[in-house]
Structures are given as structure tokens and as C-alpha cells.
Amino acid sequence: MITDTEPERRLRALVDNLPALCAYWDRDLRNVVANGPYLRWFGVTPEQMVGMHIRDVLGEAVYAKNLPYITGVLAGREQLFERTLIDSDGVTHHTQASYVPDVVDGTVAGFFVLVTDVTPRVEAERALAEAQRLAELGSWQLDRRTRAVTWSAEMYQIAGVDAGTFEPGVDNYLSLVEPDDRDRLLQTFRAAAEGGIGYDIEYRLRRPDGDVRDIQGRGNPITDGAGTVIGLRGTVQDVTTARRAARELARMNQELAEANQLQADIIGMLGHDLRQPLTSLLCYLDELAIGWEDTPDSVKRVDLRRADAAARRVAALIEDVLVMASIDAGSLPCRPAPTRLADVLAETVEHAADGVPVGIDVDPAVQALVDPFHLRQILANLIGNAVKYGRPPIGVVAATRGTVVKVDVYDHGEGVPDDFVPRLFDRFTRATTGIASRKPGTGFGLYIVRQLALANHGTLSYRPHQPHGACFTLSLPAADTRPHAEDRPPHR
């Protein structure tokens, strides 16, 4: 049989076993009733709690923070807020408090309090936020019916916008996307929203400060029981660092591959092109050493000239390899100075022409602003090529044209095959037809010449010589930029 006090007992048992703090406070902020968890939280007995002012229970600091909500509930408005509280054991908890007004005959007689411990949820949210921060991964959700969009904290960080002022709508987000990627992303959104298609897409986002970020976006539709798409949820990950690292790794791998190929090419070239002059040099010197006393002077002179030519060939090859290594390392020294073309040409022709007559047409006053050592290398290569691959007459014409000195080196040979011209200045390339295919060579002479010209703020170009032959034009800054009335155009 149930007594009159049984319902009250059962109600008290129910309230005391709720996983929340429950209490009722009258309009004077005096406690009327509180459940067991409420009493245990604040460390008071039921007898102490009844009639106690809420300020004395909460303490001055928490009371002051809660006072706006207390004022609001006494005005008849339900209040919901979160608060950090310390229980009687000194343990900190994250709570969610609900104040519900008790309205009697239109007057607020007091209010009900429900406080829930949400520490696990808050800690999980913080752990998720930290994980998102570390992964540079933000999450978002779109309600398709209201167009409302919610963002995680990391989304604002990725976008570089202020959470307090930026409205995370679809249009506002799309305005941050790079124009070239915007339509593609919009179409992806529409396909997901209208067709229920998940997506995985990369695009670029430009922050308000101008910083462009690489983004990996993923999304899935949210459907109701009938399968209708009612929203979208997804993630946005800033993969800029990873993409930059991948590009840098690819660049380094490419450079390594090029360096390995260069090393292989150089070793192959040295094994082929250096062996012959070295062998010749050693043979001539060996002959001279063995038969010096019995060899006529005229033969000695011939052998010495041949040994000298072989030694110069070896020196030139080594110099070219060293220059090429400096070019690849980006450490090619360049010391431009006013240099007279006539002086350098006279010296270069004597060593590079190998006894073949070379006509020189240059005003002694013509000066270029160029590294003299580089100029000798350039002219020696061009003249040597004309002698090796062309036919006489061979000539050099140099003249000042305004602020530029132009030097033409020409011959009357076969010229460069038309199909090889686009690759003429590439490294380790040689024509497979014509006279060049029948002559020994390294395939990087013209590459080095052009790089030396560029290092001196000049250019090197090729054109067929008329009526036949080859003509290479070297352009360099003029040391004297005053116009010369007697200037004449380069040889054609």
C-alpha cells in the first residue's frame, strides 16, 4: 500500500539519482530545495542548503559572473550558458547551466536550476580542436534548407579570417578561393548538394593578407530518412607545406638526376675526347725523350708543335668542364671590364685558327664591357668551330651599334642542319647529319659559350651565312655607349 509520502519519496529518489545538479531558488535568491548531487558538489547538508542565498553557495566570483543570467531568468527569460566550476574536492569541471523561470499567475516566483557536467564533451572538443590544429584540418557543416554554415575553429585559421567578424557562408568562402579554381569548386559543391555525391578536390585559397594556400577539400552529403540531401559536411585541410615539400623534393630529385647525368656525360666525354689528345701528347713526348739525340731539329719542332696542340686541346677540355661545373653550381665568376676587341681577337686567332687564315674586320677603338677571360673563351670556341666545321674564307667582324657591340664569326662551309638549329645551344647535343657528325667533339662548347655570353649580359645567336655557311653573332654591352658615326653593320 502506498502512503501519502511515497510519491514524494519516489520523486526525491528520482531527482537525487539524476546525473545533474538540480535546485530551486525563490525570487529572493534563497534555496528552497536541492538534489543530492547539488549538495555533494558544494559540500553542504540539506539543512544548511535550505534558505541559503545563492551568493553564499556559488561564492562571490561565480555569483558575479552568473548575475546577468539570474537577472534574466527573474525577468522571465530562460537562460542557458556554460561555466567552469570547482567542486568541494577542488576538482575543476566544465558545466552547462540552465535557468528556467517558475511563473505563477504571470509572476516569476523563482527559478529552476539544472547544471550538467559537460567536462568529457569539452575535453573531447578541445582534443579535436588540437588535433585539427596539428593536422591543419578544419571541419564544417552546411544546412541546405537554411544555408546556415558552421565552422570549426581551425577553419577560421586556415582561411586567415577572424571568427568574430567573418560570416562562414558559402558565398563568402568562395570569395576567398582563387578565381581559376572557383567555378570548379562551386560545381563540386552543387553536385554534392543536388546529386548526393561525395567529393575529394584540391584548390587554392587566397587569404585576406594575400597568402595563397593549397587546400585539400573533402565532403559528404547528409540525407534524411527518405534519402533526400538536407546538408553537407566536410573537411578542409591546408596541405601547402606538404605540397611545397613535395615540389621541393621533386626539384631536388630532378637536380640530382641532372647532376648524375652530367657526371655520366662528362665521364663519357672525358673517356672518349680526352684520351685521344692525351695519347698523342704522350706519344710525341715519348718519341722526343727516346730519340732526342738522334732526331733532326726539324722533326723535333714538328713533334713539339703537335705535342703543344694536344696539350692545348686537353687544357681546353678541362677548362670547359670547370666552366660548366661553375655554371651548374651558380658560381661562375664574372668580372666585366672595358676590353678592346681587336687585342683579344688577334691573340685568340693566333691560337684557335690552327694556321687557317681568318679575316679580322674591327675598329681598334671598339670596346665591350666583358670579362676578358670569358671573351677569349667565347671567341676561341667560335673561331675553332668555324675552322673545324666550316670552310674558308673565315672572318670576324666587330662593330659598335649604339650601346651594343656585335661580333660576327662566319665561314663558308655547310652551315648547321636546319633540323638541329633548335638544339644547337643545348648541352651534350651533336648533329647527326652533315660535317659535324663526322668530326670529333664534346657537344657542350656552344652551350658554354652561350652561358658565358649571358653571364656578361650578352646574347649569342645563329643564322645561316649567305650564300652558304654559318654565322654566329655575339652581342655584348659596349664599354663606350657614345654613338659612332663610322659604325657599320655586322657582316652579312
Side-chain angles (χ1 to χ4, degrees), residues 24-251:
Y24 181 87
W25 303 83
D26 64 19
R27 188 169 184 83
D28 295 327
L29 303 183
R30 298 288 177 178
N31 181 262
V32 176
V33 64
N35 70 345
Y38 204 112
L39 299 172
R40 289 191 293 273
W41 184 289
F42 291 102
V44 295
T45 65
E47 294 76 18
Q48 291 172 324
M49 176 65 78
V50 174
M52 198 174 199
H53 195 280
I54 194 171
R55 180 197 302 109
D56 299 327
V57 176
L58 299 178
E60 288 292 346
V62 175
Y63 175 74
K65 292 180 180 179
N66 286 12
L67 189 56
Y69 303 106
I70 295 172
T71 303
V73 73
L74 291 178
R77 298 186 300 274
E78 186 173 340
Q79 306 291 307
L80 182 65
F81 60 95
E82 292 193 3
R83 178 75 65 233
T84 300
L85 295 177
I86 300 175
D87 65 17
S88 58
D89 295 326
V91 179
T92 300
H93 299 263
H94 301 282
T95 66
Q96 184 179 72
S98 175
Y99 289 177
V100 180
D102 178 25
V103 181
V104 179
D105 298 332
T107 302
V108 177
F111 59 95
F112 299 95
V113 173
L114 178 66
V115 179
T116 306
D117 188 347
V118 294
T119 301
R121 188 204 74 194
V122 172
E123 290 179 348
E125 289 176 348
R126 287 182 176 178
L128 176 61
E130 179 64 10
Q132 289 192 354
R133 185 188 68 80
L134 292 174
E136 296 184 284
L137 178 74
S139 58
W140 57 271
Q141 185 164 318
L142 164 68
D143 186 326
R144 193 181 174 200
R145 294 163 298 188
T146 63
R147 298 279 291 179
V149 179
T150 56
W151 279 9
S152 69
E154 187 61 21
M155 281 288 297
Y156 294 94
Q157 295 296 322
I158 292 172
V161 295
D162 180 64
T165 59
F166 186 82
E167 181 64 35
V170 174
D171 293 337
N172 285 347
Y173 184 73
L174 286 172
S175 70
L176 299 174
V177 176
E178 283 283 73
D180 291 346
D181 298 339
R182 195 172 296 157
D183 288 342
R184 181 167 56 89
L185 182 59
L186 180 58
Q187 293 303 319
T188 301
F189 278 161
R190 286 176 176 170
E194 298 171 5
I197 302 172
Y199 66 85
D200 188 335
I201 186 174
E202 287 195 22
Y203 56 93
R204 294 163 299 161
L205 183 146
R206 183 179 292 274
R207 291 172 171 173
D209 62 4
D211 185 22
V212 177
R213 313 299 293 178
D214 294 320
I215 301 298
Q216 181 81 46
R218 296 182 176 90
N220 282 313
I222 304 171
T223 57
D224 60 13
T228 302
V229 178
I230 59 174
L232 296 172
R233 66 166 58 94
T235 60
V236 166
Q237 186 170 22
D238 186 341
V239 295
T240 307
T241 302
R243 294 295 181 270
R244 287 176 180 172
R247 287 193 291 268
E248 180 64 14
L249 180 60
R251 184 190 66 79

Side-chain angles (χ1 to χ4, degrees), residues 287-454:
E287 287 179 6
L288 288 170
I290 293 173
W292 182 264
E293 299 297 337
D294 301 326
T295 303
D297 289 345
S298 58
V299 176
K300 291 178 182 177
R301 282 191 291 272
V302 171
D303 285 348
L304 284 173
R305 282 198 299 272
R306 290 173 176 172
D308 178 71
R312 289 182 182 277
R313 172 65 177 157
V314 171
L317 282 171
I318 293 174
E319 185 59 44
D320 283 348
V321 171
L322 292 176
V323 170
M324 187 161 54
S326 297
I327 292 170
D328 286 342
S331 59
L332 181 67
C334 184
R335 301 176 182 83
T339 306
R340 291 186 181 275
L341 268 294
D343 297 339
V344 176
L345 276 170
E347 176 186 341
T348 305
V349 167
E350 180 181 350
H351 296 290
D354 198 22
V356 176
V358 175
I360 298 177
D361 183 4
V362 57
D363 189 315
V366 173
Q367 293 188 83
L369 189 62
V370 61
D371 187 311
F373 182 70
H374 290 174
L375 182 59
R376 291 188 187 93
Q377 286 181 284
I378 294 171
L379 294 176
N381 188 290
L382 296 179
I383 294 171
N385 279 355
V387 171
K388 183 176 182 179
Y389 301 114
R391 284 195 291 268
I394 296 169
V396 181
V397 176
T400 302
R401 303 291 295 169
T403 61
V404 176
V405 170
K406 288 188 176 291
V407 184
D408 282 353
V409 179
Y410 64 92
D411 65 71
H412 287 76
E414 297 178 0
V416 178
D418 292 341
D419 62 342
F420 185 66
V421 171
R423 295 179 290 124
L424 184 59
F425 297 102
D426 292 346
R427 184 165 58 187
F428 293 113
T429 56
R430 287 176 51 77
T432 56
T433 60
I435 190 171
S437 64
R438 303 189 296 273
K439 297 275 189 176
T442 61
F444 59 72
L446 288 176
Y447 165 80
I448 290 175
V449 169
R450 171 170 274 189
Q451 296 303 312
L452 290 175
L454 292 173

